[in-house]
Amino acid sequence: MFDRYNRKIEYLRISVTDRCNLRCRYCMPEEGIKLLSHSEILTFDEIAGFTETAVANGITKVRITGGEPLVRKGIATLVSMISSVEGIKDLSMTTNGILLERFADELKKAGLQRVNISLDTVDAEKYTFITRNGVLGNVLKGIEAAQKAELLPVKINCVVKDSEDEPDARAVAEFCKKNGLEFRYIKEMDLVKGTFSPVTGGSGGNCSSCNRLRLTSDGKLKPCLFNDAGFDIREMGFEKAFKAAIEMKPASGQRNRINGFYNIGG
Ligand code: SAM
């Protein structure tokens, strides 16, 4: 389906939880976040049902994100429900990789095609500092497990302050080269201030070619990451919310005072 700026909207990102097992400094405060209640979070049936509507209306690419998608209980079941929607050509997940060693095979069997794993440094101490509690070794095991399970290509998302020349980013790029991983760096964004730029090696951050919609874990369909608008799929119904989001997709991002990365999924 085309929006009013003639962009073909084909890509749906689904945040399946607002919970995360890390507290990355640029993403989430250490404490004091009000988490959604069980009844606010979309059920598996709602997520799969909405995906069906989205695919019937032109979505061909779906990414599962969070929070941390692997902390959602029964994630492999949810993946298999989504993957059985006919018409999805590309089904991927963005994860911090901490729990991937445990889930990689199950996810592959459930129909997940590939993963993006977030990794900002290969220095174990710095990793724990940035994530506030993460253990680098667990992510490295997760990356290996993803490769073994053939969740390919495995892409690494590396958030940088300013440029890819930062020592941590260069070390991550080198690590990727050695280990057959694709590398993409993302300049740190600020939703409230509205600072964002194109993602190098990826398709994000470029408004004129943006083909995305985002579904939050409490069922708000967002036409743009840098915009407050969100259409409630429970209140409006799937079809109406989908069409409204496409109709209201802005020409370009401005700012988002409502969401954090952790509840919209990046
Ligand atoms: N927990 C998963 C993970 O870590 O990949 C998925 C959710 S996370 C919010 C999705 C992506 O958003 C990650 O690659 C993360 O690095 C990125 N991200 C979070 N905060 C960001 C920020 N302020 N600027 C740019 N990217 C950000």
Side-chain angles (χ1 to χ4, degrees):
M1 195 173 269
F2 287 87
D3 74 357
R4 45 195 173 134
Y5 302 102
N6 215 28
R7 294 170 297 196
K8 195 172 181 194
I9 310 303
E10 299 177 298
Y11 184 7
L12 174 67
R13 297 169 72 106
I14 306 173
S15 173
V16 297
T17 178
D18 61 337
R19 267 87 169 155
C20 191
N21 46 358
L22 297 180
R23 288 287 179 277
C24 298
R25 287 169 189 273
Y26 50 76
C27 185
M28 231 174 155
E30 190 163 20
E31 45 195 40
I33 317 156
K34 193 181 170 290
L35 292 171
L36 295 168
S37 67
H38 184 69
S39 64
E40 286 172 297
I41 293 186
L42 294 177
T43 64
F44 287 6
D45 282 333
E46 286 173 316
I47 293 173
F50 180 78
T51 306
E52 247 171 58
T53 301
V55 170
N57 283 284
I59 295 294
T60 56
K61 180 174 171 181
V62 174
R63 176 176 298 279
I64 298 164
T65 176
E68 170 50 39
L70 298 182
V71 305
R72 174 95 193 228
K73 211 168 155 210
I75 184 67
T77 304
L78 177 58
V79 168
S80 74
M81 287 168 76
I82 294 173
S83 74
S84 60
V85 176
E86 236 168 86
I88 299 175
K89 295 193 185 119
D90 182 15
L91 179 58
S92 62
M93 177 182 281
T94 301
T95 168
N96 60 34
I98 294 281
L99 298 172
L100 202 48
E101 188 187 22
R102 193 191 307 166
F103 284 107
D105 282 335
E106 226 184 308
L107 292 170
K108 179 71 182 185
K109 281 188 197 117
L112 188 72
Q113 293 169 5
R114 59 190 184 88
V115 286
N116 283 34
I117 301 172
S118 302
L119 183 66
D120 304 334
T121 178
V122 283
D123 176 315
E125 251 178 60
K126 240 180 185 168
Y127 184 82
T128 301
F129 174 78
I130 294 170
T131 59
R132 289 201 182 99
N133 59 18
V135 176
L136 178 68
N138 292 339
V139 187
L140 301 184
K141 283 186 224 155
I143 292 172
E144 231 182 284
Q147 288 179 311
K148 271 203 193 119
E150 299 192 348
L151 289 166
L152 302 173
V154 175
K155 296 186 185 178
I156 299 297
N157 288 358
C158 178
V159 173
V160 297
K161 261 262 175 272
D162 292 305
S163 90
E164 60 188 312
D165 281 335
E166 289 163 22
D168 281 316
R170 284 165 72 151
V172 175
E174 191 56 35
F175 169 81
C176 290
K177 218 167 150 188
K178 268 196 203 139
N179 291 284
L181 302 157
E182 282 188 29
F183 172 72
R184 52 211 290 278
Y185 79 92
I186 306 170
K187 223 165 152 176
E188 191 175 322
M189 306 177 208
D190 189 319
L191 290 171
V192 178
K193 288 190 192 134
T195 44
F196 62 97
S197 49
V199 171
T200 307
S203 59
N206 193 344
C207 300
S208 64
S209 59
C210 181
N211 61 354
R212 304 169 177 201
L213 296 177
R214 292 175 162 84
L215 182 64
T216 64
S217 54
D218 61 344
K220 310 292 187 299
L221 185 63
K222 299 200 59 86
C224 171
L225 177 58
F226 281 85
N227 192 289
D228 292 342
F231 299 89
D232 194 315
I233 66 163
R234 277 179 172 158
E235 277 174 18
M236 296 177 73
F238 299 167
E239 188 93 23
K240 245 186 161 173
F242 186 87
K243 290 193 169 142
I246 290 198
E247 215 164 279
M248 298 307 288
K249 190 169 165 69
S252 60
Q254 302 292 328
R255 54 182 54 80
N256 185 339
R257 290 155 295 197
I258 289 175
N259 304 101
F261 271 90
Y262 65 92
N263 66 23
I264 195 169

